[in-house]
Amino acid sequence: MATEAPCYTVTFEDTTESPSTQELRASLKKGTDEDRLDTSRRIIASTINGNPQPTLLMPIIQYIMPSRNKQLKKLLHFYWEVCPKYDENGKLKQEMILVVNAIRNDLQHPNEYIRGATLRFLQKISKDAELLEPLIPTCRSCLEHRHSYVRKNAVFAVYTIYREYEHLIPDAPELMQTFIAAESDATCKRNAFVFLAHCAMPKAVEWLISVYDQLTSLDELLQMSIIEVIRLDCKNDTTHRPRYIRCMFELLNSSSHAVKYEAATTLTTLTQNPAAVKAAASCFVNLVIKESDNNVKLIVLDRLDTLRSKHGHILDGLTMDILQVLSSADMEVRRKAISIVLSMTSNRNVEEVVLFLKKQLQQTQEREFEKAPEYRQLLIQSIHVLAVKFSEVAASVVHALMEFLGDSNNPSALDVVAFVREVVEKFPHLRQSICDKLIQTLTEIKSGKTFRGVLWILGEYVEGLSDIQATFQDIRKVLGEIPILASEQRLSDGAGGEEDKKEDKKVEGSEWLKVLADGTYATETAYTSANSARLEAVKTASKPPLRALILGGDFFTGSVLASALTKLVLRFDDLTNDRSQANALRAESMLIMAPIVHVGQSKFVTVQQMSIIHDIFLKDTKAAYSKMLVAQEKKESEGTKEYVVQVDDLLNFRQFSNKSAVNYMPLILYQQWGAAEVREDFISNLSHISQLTGFSGPIYAERCTDLILCLVYVLLVNQTSNTLQNLCLDFATLGDLKLVERPAVYTIAPHGFQSIKATIKVSSAETGVIFGSILWDGPALAECCVILNDIDIDIMDYIKPAYCSETQFRSMWTEFEWENRVNVSTNMTDPRDYLKHVMKSTNMSCLTPEGAMSGDCDFLSANMYARSLFGEDALANLSIEKTEAGIVGHVRIRSKTQGIALSLGDRITMSQKDSKPSI
């Protein structure tokens, strides 16, 4: 009898109309083929669900097995697979002799497809040696059948039988070696080669060497199998490694993309030779360019990035080839390719890379295509990174990028402003030319945010006397005639003539009564639309850009303009001894600022201490920006911190370690997760152990969960004096969890121990629950069961703090559709303490600068960000106020998936309850 029963899927069985055994027997005997099909399905479903109905075995043999209906024959194979074939004593049932005879007849059937289906069925019952033994000669004869469909299934049938019971076909490797030498069909060859690779590796290598010169002309499936055999053979100490390397080089030119990818991957594992690494990388690049599937492109780019991280500057020569990937229309592919190029760029190729990116940037302006603004923004950001990293190209790109200050796409123009602002701070020798170029582009700028950035740069970095005067002149050009209100009024008055005035007087006197909704009377006067039309014409008339923004209500830009003018005036006053020129410039700046105040109908606040204003405008603002840059660089360096190993550090070999394989944790996974150092902390391991059962039961169970490796370790203790047989640990999951494999069946001695490992597949960072039970055979084969405590999978184990820019945060905040709002309920009195509490409980980092939250204020608003192990983003915004009753407000959480938003919200709610003092 088979020691391990196969596991089947539980299917739905409608028990409301469940026919009796007699009705099923009658349907099998007298029903039509359709009735027999339906009855067979019912019997199979019932057998799978634990009700085998053994009395129906003989009617099925009598009435279903002789049928020539192809569907019935297929269902019959399903039934033979699931039906009980052994009696209570573990011996094969007598009826199965008839079944074996029918299977032998099907293996000799003249229809090749019936033969092939029967051979495939033999692979399903490969555990039953007594059934297979009489069928071996017939199965061997199918290897010589004229049809390739029969032969290829016969090969795998022989393979499964030999794998389970080698004594049934002891000469199978020699048989397959003879078969593959005489076979002409590619699929049959591939199946026979797979057999030799898993059962007789030396014979597979021998055949591979014999066809070495024909590798490039072989079928794609056979080439893939050859690559797999080479990979397996090279795990051992083989003498054919040089020949295998040449073979991989030849397969890099295969017409199949899958063969190319596997050959390139295998080549990098066989040798670390620079020529081989470069050839594999070149193959990856060609695959990305020629492949149409974007998912495949991303997979290959990930492999290329891994290769680059291991081999450094060997791949620098392929930088320009990787840039050809930008011809793809998918933004994720472009973003990944540019990130690889930026990491590969050096002083030797930076000029070529920048020139290519500038050409791409020019193309986005010359022709419109899908996602052109987003692609333009990506190119600008990439050039920004290169210019800051390599100062020699900053001068050549800064002027080209400033052409995009007038771009209608506001994010692209803002990226250019950020780039120019950083360059002008870090490279003082470029300030003069950059400021001149900015002054020239003032008339082309359309966005208020862009204007504010440019005006700030001009106010900070225009330093010469002549330059300050020229800047004033160009600002006057983009501002138009001043005073603004007076000039606009003259324009409105001049738009109408005498006829308009007469018409105004004529129509202004026309009045009539109107009945309102409540029944009362009111007088309605009709005014001429001439004034309204003239006012609308003045508003829509062409105006200089800065004037249009101020008249449109953008007073923030007006305040930035006033600040920039003040800086220029104060700097001019420090540089010149000519009081008349200084006073004239001061008067001109006031003449510009005063109309802005009138337009906004606001009051001008006068500060008495001129020395404080002088320092604020000329020193503090620039110093604040310099500090911001330093803090930003520090944050980026912390985010990209690499795990550094010293040359004299001790090397750890797992094979030489005394640790068991179950307790071995791969260091690479921990380092990718962010752990700089892995330490074995006994107390930390104990904190992850939890109890699954009580102490007084027959079995005690406890578990330890390793969520980085997605493993659950369970320790079982037999607390009885009896041997527990057929003990099985049955798990089920709730949420985005899936059990990869079912634990095996065990036998535990009295007072013995058993460690069981279960692998969990986690597809997203959401809270999940694992629940289960322990089953074993008790006295008189009675089934015993112990229900386990639930295992909660916490989202916090998958989430770690991360950082992103303000632009990326706003973009994701707009894009993500799932939002969870949590009201603040806490006894804390300090808003900053509550922010730290939320950050600690959710593993999120604060994106709002510390300077923005400093000072004494009762309001606090902060953005937080975290990223999961699976690349999922989690955003949060904290808005709270300190009142007499305590802290009030809310936390808004957004994510792309519903589970993360809800789980983080629950986490914050629970942390608020835990933070409350007990009464």
Side-chain angles (χ1 to χ4, degrees), residues 7 26 31 37 39 58 112 155 168 269 281 427 539 548 622 652-653 664 767 813 833 907:
C7 177
L37 282 172
T39 304
M58 203 59 203
E112 58 271 13
V155 170
L168 293 181
T269 61
F427 307 108
K539 288 183 179 180
K622 187 190 294 186
N652 293 322
F653 293 93
Y664 176 74
T767 300
W813 187 269
D833 290 343
R907 183 73 179 185

Side-chain angles (χ1 to χ4, degrees), residues 523-630:
T523 302
E524 186 172 10
T525 304
Y527 293 94
T528 178
S529 61
N531 288 333
S532 301
R534 283 201 303 271
L535 182 60
E536 193 64 31
V538 171
K539 288 183 179 180
T540 57
S542 178
K543 298 181 181 64
L546 187 54
R547 185 189 191 95
L549 289 172
I550 294 174
L551 290 174
D554 191 354
F555 300 113
F556 187 20
T557 302
S559 65
V560 175
L561 171 63
S563 176
L565 294 177
T566 305
K567 295 175 186 177
L568 293 175
V569 169
L570 293 176
R571 188 174 294 112
F572 189 89
D573 189 57
D574 288 345
L575 295 175
T576 184
N577 295 323
D578 191 345
R579 293 294 94 192
S580 59
Q581 287 188 356
N583 291 334
L585 198 66
R586 183 178 285 105
E588 185 176 359
S589 66
M590 295 176 66
L591 184 62
I592 295 174
M593 289 186 279
I596 298 176
V597 176
H598 289 299
V599 169
Q601 295 181 355
S602 59
K603 297 180 180 180
F604 184 76
V605 180
T606 303
V607 181
Q608 303 294 332
Q609 300 177 1
M610 297 300 295
S611 60
I612 297 178
I613 297 177
H614 184 279
D615 292 340
I616 289 175
F617 278 106
L618 293 185
K619 297 179 181 179
D620 292 350
T621 51
K622 187 190 294 186
Y625 178 64
S626 300
K627 290 181 180 178
M628 188 187 77
L629 279 182
V630 172

Side-chain angles (χ1 to χ4, degrees), residues 257-258 261-262 265 284-285 287-288 291 293-307 325 330 332-333 336-337 340:
H257 288 180
Y261 176 79
E262 292 295 337
T265 305
F284 285 144
V285 173
L287 280 177
V288 176
E291 181 60 45
D293 191 340
N294 290 327
N295 293 323
V296 175
K297 288 177 183 283
L298 291 172
I299 292 172
V300 178
L301 283 173
D302 283 334
R303 177 70 66 175
L304 184 62
D305 192 21
T306 304
L307 204 62
V325 180
D330 186 73
E332 289 298 325
V333 174
K336 184 67 177 177
I340 295 175

